[in-house]
Amino acid sequence: MQIENAPTLTLESPDAGSPQSVVANGIWQVHALAQCGAIKTINATLVSLKDKPALVWDLTQIIRLDHIGAQMFWNAWGKKRPAQLQLAEKQEELFKRIEEASKLQLPRTRPNRFNWVMTLGSGMLHFFEHTQGFIRLIGQVVQDIGRFIRHPMTGPWREVSANIFHSGFQALGITALVGFLIGVVLSYLSAQQLRMFGGDMYLVNILGMSVIRELGPLLAAILVAGRSGSSITAQLGVMRVTEELDAMLVMGISHGYRLIMPKVVALAISMPLLVVWTDAMALIGGMVSAKVELNLSARYFLQKLPDAVPLSNYIIGLLKGTTFGMLIALVSCHFGLRIKPNTESLGHGTTTSVVTAITVVILADAVFAIIFSGVGF
């Protein structure tokens, strides 16, 4: 369908010996150029005229011209005016602005050979800043716990109870599912290898030691760090964005006593229970897989488990759970309190909190492995 006043380019050949001229007609504005694929046709025509420098360009017949249309001509001319150009008075000002803008050159930046030193120094400063803030937070929590012990009747019991419910009880489902599947996978893979050497009876030893001493506490901690740790950081971050933290300070309510300390105590209580729950689910999954793969009965599995896993391993697992829970709560609160009152900082702080909490948990697990390397075997 032909559009009224559509942008067109016409190549005219006057008398012999005279240069050819290109006459532009119609409306050269973005709404007209975008209709019915006009811009593709015009671009193809302009490209075909690039190799003809002797042309006379006549733009006086254009009804209306905007910056988009003028830029198309400017690009076709190689970003310089052709030798023979006829413009209307209003068009002259538009092309003059484009010509001046094309002459601007950004200053050349010299690469600094010491950039890596500055980056390393900045990273170290940020690390020491976070370390100092984290140590200060630990000291504040210790003082708040001492106050809680001295005056238990005025303590934040409701906050502790609510955090135990959200961080502990509501995490039972996901920890049970993951623990059961990990037990099935570990038992299945171990059974495949033990069958080759006739060591079917040692499956209980491998599964019990690995789950109770290492995998149970570590899986529960990673799941809680991703689930409850992000929730704690986001909660404190939203309170910073909505200025609730500032309102608490104005009313004389301590952040540490009412927000941080209850979360630390709650996770210190709920994490050992989650570790026991995860261990049980993983061992059940292992028993199911052992019954299918090696035909080991559940009765035999339960009878051999106490002898295969000394009691000290259970205690180490519970101690890991308490330590991991406190570390997750402290790291989450640390990054939650450092969030700035904007949504971008909220998302970045929550992500950093989860990653740091999982990393700290793995580091703490390595420290436990070194300290208790000679215990429980």
Side-chain angles (χ1 to χ4, degrees):
M1 182 179 66
Q2 185 68 25
I3 303 174
E4 184 179 2
N5 295 327
T8 57
L9 280 176
T10 306
L11 185 62
E12 297 182 353
S13 299
D15 302 335
S18 300
Q20 290 182 316
S21 61
V22 181
V23 181
N25 296 279
I27 300 175
W28 285 71
Q29 292 181 327
V30 63
H31 67 276
L33 292 169
Q35 291 180 356
C36 297
I39 192 169
K40 293 183 180 180
T41 305
I42 292 172
N43 274 330
T45 306
L46 290 172
V47 169
S48 65
L49 298 174
K50 273 187 175 181
D51 300 329
K52 299 179 180 180
L55 292 175
V56 177
W57 291 83
D58 183 6
L59 309 187
T60 58
Q61 306 299 321
I62 294 178
I63 301 174
R64 288 191 295 273
L65 178 68
D66 64 359
H67 187 274
I68 302 299
Q71 190 67 45
M72 290 178 62
F73 283 113
W74 189 254
N75 293 337
W77 298 337
K79 297 188 177 180
K80 61 180 181 180
R81 294 196 181 211
Q84 302 184 60
L85 176 62
Q86 300 177 11
L87 297 175
E89 184 178 352
K90 294 182 180 180
Q91 298 170 357
E92 181 66 36
E93 183 180 355
L94 179 59
F95 279 101
K96 186 177 180 180
R97 288 203 304 269
I98 295 177
E99 187 175 9
E100 291 176 353
S102 64
K103 294 179 181 179
L104 295 177
Q105 294 183 354
L106 295 177
R108 185 178 178 182
T109 57
R110 290 185 60 185
N112 192 341
R113 66 182 65 182
F114 297 107
N115 277 341
W116 66 273
V117 178
M118 298 171 62
T119 303
L120 179 62
S122 176
M124 294 298 293
L125 288 176
H126 281 294
F127 174 77
F128 288 123
E129 181 186 358
H130 280 286
T131 303
Q132 181 184 5
F134 190 72
I135 294 174
R136 188 185 299 116
L137 182 64
I138 293 175
Q140 181 64 46
V141 170
V142 171
Q143 290 181 350
D144 292 332
I145 292 176
R147 174 186 171 187
F148 186 29
I149 294 174
R150 290 194 305 270
H151 307 285
M153 299 303 296
T154 60
W157 291 102
R158 288 188 177 183
E159 288 85 349
V160 173
S161 176
N163 281 284
I164 290 176
F165 175 76
H166 292 301
S167 302
F169 178 77
Q170 291 186 342
L172 291 177
I174 185 64
T175 51
L177 177 61
V178 173
F180 181 84
L181 295 178
I182 289 295
V184 170
V185 172
L186 184 61
S187 178
Y188 176 78
L189 294 177
S190 301
Q192 294 284 343
Q193 299 299 317
L194 291 174
R195 184 187 297 150
M196 297 171 57
F197 302 99
D200 299 356
M201 64 182 67
Y202 295 107
L203 177 64
V204 181
N205 301 62
I206 295 175
L207 193 63
M209 287 292 292
S210 59
V211 168
I212 293 174
R213 188 181 176 102
E214 289 294 335
L215 287 181
L218 196 59
L219 280 175
I222 291 175
L223 291 173
V224 169
R227 181 188 175 278
S228 303
S230 60
S231 175
I232 291 172
T233 304
Q235 178 188 2
L236 294 176
V238 170
M239 294 180 72
R240 173 73 69 189
V241 172
T242 57
E243 299 182 353
E244 292 179 59
L245 295 179
D246 298 332
M248 291 180 64
L249 290 179
V250 171
M251 292 185 291
I253 301 175
S254 171
H255 294 165
Y257 194 68
R258 287 292 171 179
L259 293 177
I260 300 174
M261 189 268 291
K263 292 176 172 55
V264 175
V265 173
L267 278 176
I269 295 173
S270 59
M271 270 299 297
L273 303 178
L274 282 176
V275 168
V276 174
W277 172 255
T278 307
D279 291 345
M281 293 298 105
L283 292 174
I284 291 174
M287 282 192 294
V288 172
S289 182
K291 177 65 176 177
V292 174
E293 286 295 315
L294 301 177
N295 199 25
L296 293 179
S297 65
R299 181 177 180 180
Y300 172 81
F301 198 98
L302 294 175
Q303 285 178 347
K304 296 294 292 183
L305 187 61
D307 297 331
V309 185
L311 180 62
S312 56
N313 291 282
Y314 293 94
I315 299 175
I316 291 173
L318 295 179
L319 183 61
K320 282 185 178 182
T322 302
T323 306
F324 293 167
M326 296 177 67
L327 288 175
I328 291 169
L330 288 170
V331 170
S332 303
C333 292
H334 170 73
F335 283 97
L337 293 174
R338 295 174 69 90
I339 288 177
K340 299 177 182 178
N342 58 74
T343 53
E344 182 180 359
S345 177
L346 176 62
H348 181 266
T350 304
T351 304
T352 307
S353 169
V354 173
V355 174
T356 306
I358 294 175
T359 304
V360 168
V361 164
I362 295 174
L363 289 175
D365 185 68
V367 172
F368 268 96
I370 295 172
I371 294 175
F372 298 101
S373 59
V375 180
F377 297 100

